[in-house]
Amino acid sequence: MTSVVHVTTAETETAETETRSGAEPTNAKYVYAFAEGGREMADELGGKGANLAEMTRLGLPVPPGFTISTAACRYYLENGSAPPELADQVANALTDLEAARGKKLGDPTDPLLVSVRSGSRFSMPGMMETVLDIGLNDHSVHGLAAIAGDERFAWDSYRRLIQMFGKTVLEIDGDRFEVILRRAMTRAGVSADTELDVDSLRAVVEDFKRVVSECTGQDFPQQPQRQLDLAVLAVFRSWNTERAVLYRRQERIPGWLGTAVNIQAMAFGNVGEGSGTGVAFTRDPGSGARGVYGDYLSDAQGEDVVAGIRNTLPLSALGDLDSKSYQQLLDIMSTLEQHYRDLCDIEFTVEQGHLWMLQTRVGKRTAGAAFRIAVQLVDEGIIDMDEALRRVSGHQLGQLMFPTFDVSSESAAIAKGMNASPGAAVGQAVFDSSSAVKRAEDGERVILVRRETNPDDLEGMVAAEGVLTSRGGKTSHAAVVARGMGKTAVCGADSLDVDTVARNMTTRTGLVISEGDVISIDGTTGEVFLGEVAVMPSPVARYFEEGLESALGALSSEPGDVEMAELVRSVDRIMSHADKVRRLQVRANADTPEDAARGRRMGAEGIGLLRTEHMFLGERRALVERLILASEDDEREEALKALLPLQRKDFIRILEQMDGLPVTIRLIDPPLHEFLPDRTELAVRVARAEERGEHIESDLRLLQAVNRLNESNPMLGLRGVRLGLVLPGLFALQVRAIAEAACFRQRMGGDPQAEIMVPLVGSIQELELVIDEAAGVLASVAEAHGCTLRFPIGTMIELPRAALTAGQIAEAAEFFSFGTNDLTQTTWGFSRDDVEAAFFSAYLEKGVFGVSPFESIDREGVGELIKIAVAAGRKTRPDLHCGVCGEHGGDPESVHFFDEVGLDYVSCSPFRVPVARLEAGRSAL
Ligand code: ADP
Ligand code: MG
Ligand code: MG
């Protein structure tokens, strides 16, 4: 019999169709035996297939099998049928597999059973389908029983096949099977599926088959070949299920890749107590602690471990049950770690004392574990510091700087589970995915509470601050997915009785928590609290703020703190390396002396953006009002005179904090109306006064001015350099304040390094006018105070016109600083405040944006303008200093771009400075 994987989506009932006419076979290779592949082939074989091949190559005990490539899946998704070459190639590979095992698929006396497993280039845990025990039918189930000498095992495998096949291939609601199984257990008076006897299992199989006939109008397919073919196509199709599509969007995995399909001889973990199945990690993926760990379940198959069906044992328990297999497993784990030079995540099965490896991959890990493991591997001589730096990310570093719960707070935990994914999350308890989504859309913070999660809960997990489950361990679905998303999770809090129908949960002491009640979960300790718990800053943040000694000094000798200390030291070593290798400099955006000091502590090498607008707010607003409303020169002069000492003092304090480092001071930027009273309020006030027959002259004048200055598009209106050019004396005042502050600092023995930056320039003429005026002011201050002032004067590049005429502008500008926020707005022609809420989610959904251009720089559009401007600017002025200010400077992706295009520095908020330093280091590698 030959394989016939020629079924189209619409033809699943008639599997035995001919090769589709018109599709000419080519010599494309779609099928690879495990022995032919290797981990370098992950694009074709998917991660799982490539690593199964790699383990086979290493001589590890892997059940034999072969992989259908991702190219076959792409062909199927495009054409609606499998490629014509596939059937023969699968048939040949299957013949080899049968020979290797000495068994035949469908043999009624000694059947070969196989699993059909999905596996794409990037791990998508639980997103796609896998079917186990393919090859069983009404006849071969007897053969299997006889060969194994275990009838129970054979019938258990058969019911598993119908259940998995029914659910995933035939798309029957899984509950239909669950109900039957549970009823059988109740009838037999047992609490676990392993306790069902042969007769019960036979009855279950009969009932399962009846469900299949009822739901599909056809009998459960008895030919093993047909089971196999249908399962392969089901795996192809599972690439495009809603949950898989959602997961890919979340993880930014391209949709065109497709999945591979692995067909592998079964290893049986369900042949009684001496068998079992488990998952393991070579180090703790939660904390990064050294030492193996995992979960094991006796007399079980495949997904039983992660599904939280029965309570698992810790991996070490296998040592007591079967020390030979355990020792062999430990050896293999260490081989794999040496080989992959990283934390490995493993699936294995023990079949009657024989260990089989079923999967490995470089394991996902929490942010903290990533830093600790990278440095551990350096110390173990497995990788070098460059590699350690590659293994961590700015995104992870950002996570580590988040606060955790204040342990000294009075709250007592109401339950405790596994610390599955660290962090501190507070929110309203919700008991299903759609409520989580709904409440989150209403702006509430929620915690998704489930008995256990499954892939259908993904949307709810995305919407929630954190996840709490009452079943399952650190390797359960909830735990794995939450860690991948960087979400807080507590799993297996088994003292909680979660009732998803009543939408509440009950603690052991009888406390009932209903939907909407606020709870706090601690993913680092596994504790669950009622109400909102206070949070505490992170030791990593403290390390950046106060230095290594202080951060370590604040930690105790408690085990948790000792681990934290290792983490802080690891961060310190990786940061030092990043600073050593990076080319790009990092500055902070700071408007106050406090922020400036903070940025400096965080490692900023200057201030890239000092906004001067706040210096005109608060009690100074009245002076600005006078300045704007002045009709006589005298009045204006007076207001300016009053503002001068205030500004000077501000600059002195900041230059003092940043002594010796550059401080880029941006002259006033925002539109005038921001300094004036609200137009409507003022109009109402004037109208009311007039009704009363009063006439308040000052209000009237103010209203006239506000009306005159009213703009329908303030973002594109009278602001930046335009304002400086039309409001006499304003820029000159600021330049004077800067100059006098610098003279003062010099007299005090300081080293002030001010740079003056002109905002919103579109043409060189604008800049030249400002520079002329500034030069006069600087010269007169220098002379008056007898000091030398040599400040670079440069411009922001935040308009497309400035970028396009950068060659000219550089004749006047001594430096460029890209204002990427405004440049994004003006390049796209939208204003952030107006568009983000209005249509960004639709644009992200429709794929117009992969990510918001305000979060990560739009390389093709805005990025291209930056490239043009840098090149043209440096052509005019080869030593032109170029930087970027704006939040893009702290975004990991964007930092790499700015490094690539040759900017000298990025500037971002003080808290993001460490992230930018780290990414600048990674970018240099
Ligand atoms: P996923 O990608 O969701 O992890 P897998 O393909 O790894 O799905 O399969 C699900 C479960 O079935 C895993 O626990 C795996 O170890 C088990 N499994 C897969 N193939 C076999 C096999 N040939 N023998 C025994 N167990 C298997
Ligand atoms: Mg797996
Ligand atoms: Mg701007």
Side-chain angles (χ1 to χ4, degrees):
M1 173 169 195
T2 53
S3 175
V4 276
V5 191
H6 294 306
V7 199
T8 64
T9 326
E11 289 171 336
T12 38
E13 291 82 45
T14 52
E16 277 84 2
T17 49
E18 300 300 307
T19 300
R20 284 161 62 94
S21 56
E24 284 300 317
T26 62
N27 50 14
K29 184 169 166 65
Y30 289 109
V31 174
Y32 298 81
F34 289 168
E36 288 179 284
R39 70 169 145 164
E40 69 287 351
M41 289 173 68
D43 285 341
E44 296 98 313
L45 305 182
K48 197 183 288 166
N51 287 320
L52 282 166
E54 189 73 14
M55 286 199 290
T56 305
R57 185 190 269 174
L58 285 173
L60 302 182
V62 177
F66 56 89
T67 304
I68 299 173
S69 72
T70 53
C73 177
R74 287 194 291 274
Y75 186 106
Y76 174 82
L77 295 175
E78 234 166 70
N79 300 289
S81 66
E85 301 84 348
L86 191 59
D88 284 347
Q89 294 184 20
V90 167
N92 290 338
L94 187 61
T95 306
D96 292 346
L97 176 57
E98 288 173 335
R101 279 260 132 168
K103 292 172 193 280
K104 281 199 172 313
L105 191 69
D107 182 342
T109 57
D110 184 11
L112 169 71
L113 302 196
V114 296
S115 61
V116 173
R117 317 172 63 186
S118 57
S120 69
R121 174 74 182 78
F122 300 102
S123 157
M124 296 169 54
M127 286 302 126
M128 292 178 298
E129 310 298 9
T130 283
V131 185
L132 305 180
D133 303 308
I134 290 220
L136 279 175
N137 59 22
D138 293 349
H139 303 290
S140 60
V141 65
H142 297 291
L144 183 67
I147 288 282
D150 187 340
E151 262 198 288
R152 204 204 150 271
F153 150 68
W155 286 95
D156 181 53
S157 301
Y158 196 21
R159 73 93 187 153
R160 285 170 185 273
L161 169 64
I162 303 174
Q163 190 171 355
M164 282 187 120
F165 194 93
K167 197 176 160 206
T168 65
V169 181
L170 305 174
E171 291 168 18
I172 298 169
D173 180 1
D175 279 351
R176 297 290 305 263
F177 299 110
E178 282 297 332
V179 167
I180 292 170
L181 195 61
R182 224 168 274 145
R183 213 188 299 132
M185 279 158 52
T186 315
R187 209 178 291 135
V190 300
S191 59
D193 61 306
T194 44
E195 295 170 56
L196 287 174
D197 63 13
V198 181
D199 289 337
S200 307
L201 286 168
R202 273 182 210 270
V204 166
V205 164
E206 280 315 306
D207 288 346
F208 277 11
K209 290 205 295 198
R210 191 166 321 117
V211 167
V212 170
S213 310
E214 264 173 41
C215 294
T216 67
Q218 303 212 357
D219 287 343
F220 175 74
Q222 287 288 320
Q223 306 103 306
Q225 186 64 60
R226 196 170 127 90
Q227 295 171 359
L228 179 61
D229 293 344
L230 292 175
V232 168
L233 298 183
V235 171
F236 283 163
R237 282 197 301 275
S238 70
W239 177 255
N240 276 337
T241 57
E242 212 173 299
R243 68 180 193 225
V245 171
L246 178 67
Y247 184 85
R248 284 201 293 273
R249 193 176 301 145
Q250 177 82 16
E251 298 292 311
R252 302 201 200 144
I253 297 172
W256 57 266
L257 290 174
T259 180
V261 186
N262 302 286
I263 293 162
Q264 183 176 32
M266 283 298 298
F268 298 107
N270 56 335
V271 210
E273 284 294 311
S275 303
T277 184
V279 293
F281 293 88
T282 56
R283 292 169 204 245
D284 186 338
S287 69
R290 282 192 179 84
V292 299
Y293 105 112
D295 300 316
Y296 183 74
L297 194 58
S298 293
D299 197 5
Q301 208 182 61
E303 252 130 25
D304 294 359
V305 189
V306 284
I309 287 178
R310 279 179 271 143
N311 275 333
T312 55
L313 301 171
L315 187 63
S316 55
L318 176 61
D320 304 328
L321 295 169
D322 179 350
S323 63
K324 188 179 129 277
S325 297
Y326 183 62
Q327 195 48 54
Q328 190 190 357
L329 179 66
L330 294 188
D331 291 346
I332 289 176
M333 283 165 82
S334 122
T335 304
L336 286 174
E337 240 205 21
Q338 291 286 330
H339 185 70
Y340 283 89
R341 297 160 58 235
D342 207 348
L343 159 76
C344 292
D345 153 342
I346 286 159
E347 290 175 9
F348 67 93
T349 280
V350 177
E351 178 179 344
Q352 298 183 299
H354 192 117
L355 174 68
W356 291 104
M357 301 303 295
L358 293 171
Q359 190 172 330
T360 192
R361 66 188 155 207
V362 167
K364 295 196 175 177
R365 67 207 69 184
T366 61
F371 278 84
R372 283 178 67 189
I373 291 172
V375 171
Q376 285 166 12
L377 292 173
V378 171
D379 291 342
E380 290 164 27
I382 297 175
I383 61 173
D384 61 14
M385 279 308 289
D386 278 357
E387 182 61 28
L389 180 54
R390 273 189 208 102
R391 297 251 178 115
V392 296
S393 70
H395 181 69
Q396 289 168 329
L397 184 63
Q399 277 180 30
L400 291 177
M401 293 170 71
F402 285 122
T404 48
F405 285 133
D406 183 355
V407 281
S408 66
S409 81
E410 290 298 282
S411 339
I414 53 165
K416 192 163 189 302
M418 300 275 191
N419 49 337
S421 182
V426 181
Q428 300 179 352
V430 290
F431 296 88
D432 66 84
S433 198
S434 56
S435 315
V437 172
K438 214 176 131 282
R439 286 190 186 233
E441 274 170 5
D442 294 343
E444 302 291 348
R445 292 179 303 166
V446 300
I447 306 283
L448 179 64
V449 184
R450 303 286 286 163
R451 204 166 305 174
E452 63 223 20
T453 65
N454 64 50
D456 298 329
D457 291 316
L458 194 69
E459 253 187 319
M461 293 179 74
V462 171
E465 302 292 313
V467 186
L468 169 63
T469 67
S470 59
R471 316 278 305 258
K474 277 196 199 177
T475 52
S476 66
H477 176 267
V480 172
V481 174
R483 279 200 297 271
M485 299 194 301
K487 285 236 154 116
T488 301
V490 171
C491 292
D494 52 15
S495 67
L496 292 174
D497 184 7
V498 176
D499 185 339
T500 49
V501 178
R503 292 164 180 276
N504 65 27
M505 61 178 169
T506 312
T507 67
R508 190 166 283 151
T509 59
L511 180 69
V512 178
I513 291 141
S514 308
E515 182 162 298
D517 292 348
V518 172
I519 57 172
S520 303
I521 61 171
D522 188 332
T524 314
T525 62
E527 287 169 311
V528 182
F529 304 93
L530 184 62
E532 179 163 352
V533 178
V535 289
M536 205 182 55
S538 97
V540 172
R542 184 171 183 143
Y543 154 74
F544 284 115
E545 291 253 13
E546 300 170 15
L548 185 62
E549 289 316 310
S550 159
L552 292 178
L555 293 167
S556 71
S557 54
E558 301 278 308
D561 274 9
V562 171
E563 298 214 332
M564 193 51 83
E566 186 191 326
L567 172 59
V568 170
R569 283 199 195 89
S570 304
V571 170
D572 177 57
R573 281 172 63 187
I574 291 183
M575 289 309 298
S576 308
H577 192 67
D579 286 340
K580 202 171 88 193
V581 298
R582 72 186 157 92
R583 178 195 67 80
L584 196 64
Q585 294 211 310
V586 178
R587 297 190 187 177
N589 297 344
D591 306 345
T592 61
E594 294 72 30
D595 265 2
R598 184 154 198 240
R600 190 167 195 166
R601 286 197 304 272
M602 295 280 194
E605 296 153 299
I607 290 180
L609 176 63
L610 166 63
R611 299 179 186 86
T612 53
E613 322 25 306
H614 83 277
M615 298 173 182
F616 295 88
L617 297 178
E619 58 202 22
R620 305 173 189 184
R621 208 181 257 276
L623 290 173
V624 182
E625 251 179 56
R626 265 169 60 196
L627 183 68
I628 297 170
L629 299 180
S631 51
E632 313 272 321
D633 286 354
D634 290 358
E635 271 180 84
R636 186 177 310 114
E637 287 292 314
E638 228 169 89
L640 288 170
K641 229 191 215 155
L643 278 166
L644 179 65
L646 300 170
Q647 288 250 287
R648 191 171 52 217
K649 203 165 90 211
D650 293 330
F651 292 132
I652 288 173
R653 290 175 59 210
I654 291 185
L655 288 171
E656 184 179 357
Q657 287 295 344
M658 298 306 286
D659 198 55
L661 295 177
V663 177
T664 309
I665 301 167
R666 181 178 72 184
L667 302 181
I668 191 165
D669 183 31
L672 279 185
H673 76 97
E674 288 193 12
F675 300 102
L676 295 176
D678 180 76
R679 186 170 170 228
T680 322
E681 261 172 42
L682 190 60
V684 170
R685 199 160 82 209
V686 170
R688 290 244 169 86
E690 267 168 8
E691 262 172 39
R692 292 193 302 268
E694 294 167 28
H695 186 79
I696 306 168
E697 179 62 28
S698 62
D699 272 3
L700 258 180
R701 272 182 65 196
L702 195 54
L703 181 60
Q704 279 162 3
V706 171
N707 282 337
R708 197 174 62 237
L709 294 168
N710 178 56
E711 296 173 325
S712 46
N713 258 320
M715 192 206 61
L716 301 175
L718 180 62
R719 49 173 282 217
V721 68
R722 303 160 191 169
L723 183 61
L725 292 179
V726 301
L727 198 71
L730 183 57
F731 275 8
L733 155 80
Q734 293 200 289
V735 174
R736 177 172 293 276
I738 295 167
E740 290 181 1
C743 287
F744 176 81
R745 287 292 310 147
Q746 281 180 10
R747 269 204 310 279
M748 302 300 289
D751 177 18
Q753 303 268 336
E755 300 178 345
I756 294 174
M757 179 155 81
V758 186
L760 219 72
V761 164
S763 83
I764 184 170
Q765 286 80 5
E766 289 169 317
L767 187 59
E768 281 172 346
L769 288 167
V770 176
I771 290 176
D772 276 353
E773 189 184 20
V777 174
L778 290 176
S780 82
V781 172
E783 197 187 306
H785 292 78
C787 59
T788 324
L789 292 175
R790 176 67 205 96
F791 298 156
I793 302 183
T795 181
M796 296 202 57
I797 303 286
E798 51 189 340
L799 296 174
R801 193 180 192 286
L804 296 171
T805 61
Q808 281 174 30
I809 291 178
E811 284 165 20
E814 290 173 276
F815 64 85
F816 283 175
S817 176
F818 292 92
T820 50
N821 195 29
D822 268 323
L823 191 57
T824 300
Q825 301 198 87
T826 53
T827 300
W828 281 88
F830 48 48
S831 82
R832 181 171 190 170
D833 293 343
D834 293 324
V835 295
E836 261 183 343
F839 66 79
F840 268 31
S841 62
Y843 263 39
L844 289 164
E845 200 145 294
K846 292 180 196 301
V848 181
F849 302 147
V851 54
S852 157
F854 291 111
E855 240 172 74
S856 215
I857 194 85
D858 155 35
R859 288 179 177 236
E860 289 110 45
V862 179
E864 190 59 26
L865 284 172
I866 294 175
K867 279 201 245 175
I868 291 171
V870 171
R874 289 198 174 140
K875 197 160 171 218
T876 304
R877 191 187 284 263
D879 60 350
L880 184 76
H881 208 236
C882 297
V884 63
C885 57
E887 276 317 292
H888 287 107
D891 166 65
E893 279 288 306
S894 312
V895 169
H896 286 249
F897 177 78
F898 298 137
D899 193 25
E900 277 161 37
V901 302
L903 297 192
D904 296 288
Y905 67 88
V906 294
S907 188
C908 55
S909 70
F911 201 68
R912 299 297 292 176
V913 164
V915 172
R917 283 163 55 202
L918 185 81
E919 289 295 344
R922 298 184 69 223
S923 171
L925 294 177

